C-alpha cells in the first residue's frame, strides 16, 4: 500500500526533482553564492534519506587525524531543542545538542565538537583555533564550498530505481554526485559480485570519476552504560532491541544471524524517548520467557536514553564502525591526509 501511494505521488516527485535541480544549477552557475575557507574543510554527506554510515565515517576521520592536527567537528545538531552555535561538552544533553554530536564528544573528549545550523557561520567561529574542520551531513549545504567532499551511498539504495522524494528515497538529484572528491559505498554485502560493482560504477561514472571505496558495517561487543563489556557472547539470547534510527534492518539481521531472537521496538529517527517508552521496553523485556535475555540499543540511541530508568535491567548498546570491503583503507587515508597537507595555512 505504501509503495503504491509513493508511485501515485510521482507528479510531486517530478516537481521536487525540478526544484532541487534548479537550486543546484543556480549554485553551479554562481548565481547563488557559496563561501570558501582557507582552513581545510571536509564535508561528509549523502543524497538519499536514511542512515548511510556518516557518523561511523566521522569517527573514523577523527581517529585518523586527532593526534596530528587540532580538529573540530561541526554538525547541525539534528533533534535538539536549541538554536544557533553551541559547543558540546560532556555535561550536554541530546535535547541541547543532538545525539550524534554528543556521541562524538563522549568518545573523543579531547577534540572540539560544535553545532550550528548555518555551517558557514559555524566555521567562522571555529577556523581561527583549528587546523581541520569535519562537517557531518553537510553535502546539501550549498552555501558552503568545502575543500573536500566525501559522498556516501547505501549499497541497497543503488540497487533500486533512483528517484527523488516522495516516490523514491533521494533528497537530492543523482547528478549532484559530480561534486564529490571521494565516494564510499556503505553497508555492502559480505560478497559483492563483479556485476554489482559494474552496475554501481556505471551509475556513478556518468557524473564523476572520483575514487570509489566499498565498506561494510562491523558491530563491536555491546557495552553497558558504565562502559563494561557484555561478559558472554552475543548469541542465542532473547533481545529487546529498541531503536530510533533510520534503518534498523541491518542490525536486526546481524543479531538474528547469530542465533538470537529479537523483539524490535522501533521509533522514528532521532526520536526523543519518553518515560512511557521506557516502561514499554521494560514490559517487553519482562514478558520474555528466557533467563538469557538483554535489552539492546544503538550507540546513538543511548545518547537519548535516561539509563536511570533501567536500574537492575541488563541494558547494553552496540557500537559500530566502518570496515573496508575492498582492502583500500590505506589508499583512502592517503587521499585525506594529502588534501590536508596541501591546504594547511
Amino acid at each position: 500500500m505504501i509503495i503504491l501511494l509513493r508511485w501515485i505521488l510521482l507528479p510531486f516527485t517530478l516537481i521536487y526533482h525540478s526544484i532541487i535541480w534548479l537550486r543546484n544549477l543556480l549554485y553551479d552557475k554562481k548565481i547563488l553564492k557559496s563561501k570558501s575557507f582557507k582552513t581545510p574543510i571536509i564535508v561528509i554527506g549523502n543524497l538519499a534519506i536514511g542512515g548511510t554510515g556518516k557518523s561511523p565515517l566521522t569517527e573514523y576521520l577523527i581517529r585518523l587525524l586527532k593526534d596530528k592536527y587540532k580538529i573540530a567537528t561541526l554538525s547541525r545538531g539534528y533533534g535538539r531543542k536549541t538554536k544557533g552555535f553551541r559547543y558540546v561538552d560532556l555535561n550536554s544533553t541530546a535535547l541541547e545538542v543532538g545525539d550524534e554530536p554528543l556521541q562524538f564528544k563522549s568518545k573523543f573528549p579531547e577534540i572540539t565538537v560544535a553545532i550550528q545550523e548555518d555551517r558557514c557561520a559555524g566555521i567562522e567561529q571555529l577556523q581561527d583555533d583549528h587546523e581541520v574542520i569535519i562537517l557531518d551531513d553537510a553535502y546539501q549545504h550549498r552555501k558552503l564550498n568545502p575543500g573536500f567532499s566525501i559522498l556516501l551511498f547505501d549499497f541497497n539504495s543503488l540497487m533500486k530505481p533512483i528517484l527523488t522524494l516522495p516516490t523514491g528515497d533521494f533528497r537530492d538529484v543523482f547528478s549532484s554526485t559530480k561534486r564529490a572528491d571521494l565516494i564510499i559505498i556503505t553497508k555492502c554485502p559480505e560478497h559483492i559480485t563483479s556485476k554489482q560493482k559494474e552496475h554501481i560504477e556505471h551509475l556513478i561514472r556518468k557524473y564523476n570519476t572520483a575514487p570509489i571505496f566499498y565498506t561494510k558495517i562491523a558491530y563491536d561487543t555491546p557495552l553497558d552504560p558504565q562502559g563494561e563489556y557484555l561478559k558472554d557472547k552475543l548469541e542465542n539470547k532473547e533481545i529487546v532491541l529498541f531503536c530510533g534510527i533510520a534503518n534498523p534492518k541491518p542490525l536486526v539481521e546481524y543479531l538474528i544471524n547469530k542465533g538470537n531472537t529479537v523483539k524490535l521496538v522501533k521509533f522514528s529517527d532521532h526520536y526523543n524517548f519518553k518515560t512511557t517508552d521506557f516502561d514499554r521496553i521494560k514490559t517487553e523485556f519482562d514478558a520474555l520467557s528466557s533467563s538469557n535475555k538483554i535489552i539492546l540499543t544503538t550507540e546513538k540511541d543511548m545518547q537519548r536514553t535516561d539509563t536511570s530508568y533501567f536500574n537492575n535491567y541488563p541494558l547494553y548498546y552496540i557500537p559500530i564502525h566502518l570496515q573496508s570491503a575492498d582492502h583500500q583503507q590505506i589508499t583512502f587515508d592517503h587521499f585525506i591526509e594529502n588534501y590536508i597537507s596541501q591546504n594547511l595555512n
Side-chain angles (χ1 to χ4, degrees), residues 8-196:
I8 291 172
L9 294 173
L10 183 60
F12 295 97
T13 293
L14 298 176
I15 294 170
Y16 177 86
H17 182 103
S18 299
I19 292 170
I20 299 299
W21 177 86
L22 178 59
R23 174 180 178 268
N24 282 319
L25 179 66
L26 293 175
Y27 275 108
D28 293 341
K29 297 295 184 182
K30 304 189 186 307
I31 297 170
L32 295 178
K33 303 300 182 183
S34 298
K35 186 168 185 178
S36 300
F37 293 87
K38 292 182 179 179
T39 302
I41 306 294
I42 300 175
V43 158
I44 298 168
N46 58 347
L47 301 185
I49 59 174
T52 54
K54 295 185 297 294
S55 294
L57 178 60
T58 301
E59 293 182 2
Y60 179 85
L61 292 178
I62 292 170
R63 291 188 184 95
L64 177 67
L65 302 173
K66 67 183 178 66
D67 295 331
K68 303 173 186 175
Y69 307 101
K70 188 173 183 183
I71 67 172
T73 67
L74 178 63
S75 306
R76 174 187 172 188
Y78 191 86
R80 65 176 171 138
K81 301 299 182 182
T82 59
K83 299 291 183 182
F85 182 88
R86 293 175 71 102
Y87 287 106
V88 180
D89 60 46
L90 295 176
N91 295 317
S92 299
T93 67
L95 286 177
E96 294 171 333
V97 300
D99 49 16
E100 289 159 345
L102 186 58
Q103 179 176 313
F104 299 153
K105 188 63 178 179
S106 299
K107 295 180 81 167
F108 307 101
E110 69 272 29
I111 74 163
T112 299
V113 178
I115 53 174
Q116 166 64 282
E117 303 91 333
D118 184 333
R119 307 308 204 284
C120 292
I123 292 170
E124 288 169 356
Q125 292 272 93
L126 296 168
Q127 62 179 347
D128 290 342
D129 299 318
H130 298 89
E131 295 174 296
V132 182
I133 302 174
I134 303 168
L135 274 72
D136 175 34
D137 197 13
Y139 196 81
Q140 279 80 34
H141 199 79
R142 295 299 307 270
K143 291 181 181 180
L144 168 67
N145 182 26
F148 199 87
S149 294
I150 305 174
L151 181 59
L152 279 62
F153 288 105
D154 181 316
F155 174 87
N156 288 321
S157 73
L158 299 177
M159 298 296 142
K160 300 183 291 187
I162 296 175
L163 295 167
T164 52
L165 298 166
T167 302
D169 292 328
F170 280 73
R171 55 179 172 169
D172 201 346
V173 293
F174 197 75
S175 59
S176 291
T177 302
K178 65 186 179 185
R179 303 198 311 273
D181 296 289
L182 287 181
I183 296 167
I184 300 180
I185 313 302
T186 65
K187 301 184 180 179
C188 292
E190 194 65 32
H191 301 289
I192 311 170
T193 67
S194 297
K195 187 174 182 180
Q196 288 170 328

Side-chain angles (χ1 to χ4, degrees), residues 148-153 177 180-185 200-201 204-205 208-214 326 328 331-336:
F148 199 87
S149 294
I150 305 174
L151 181 59
L152 279 62
F153 288 105
T177 302
D181 296 289
L182 287 181
I183 296 167
I184 300 180
I185 313 302
I200 289 170
E201 293 177 15
I204 292 172
R205 294 299 178 229
N208 198 323
T209 59
I212 300 173
F213 298 89
Y214 294 85
D326 55 7
Q328 293 295 313
T331 303
F332 173 83
D333 294 353
H334 173 76
F335 278 111
I336 301 299

Side-chain angles (χ1 to χ4, degrees), residues 305-329:
T305 299
D306 187 340
T307 58
S308 66
Y309 280 90
F310 292 93
N311 287 339
N312 302 317
Y313 280 81
L315 173 65
Y316 294 88
Y317 67 90
I318 186 163
I320 63 173
H321 65 272
L322 290 184
Q323 187 176 78
S324 175
D326 55 7
H327 308 290
Q328 293 295 313
Q329 181 178 330

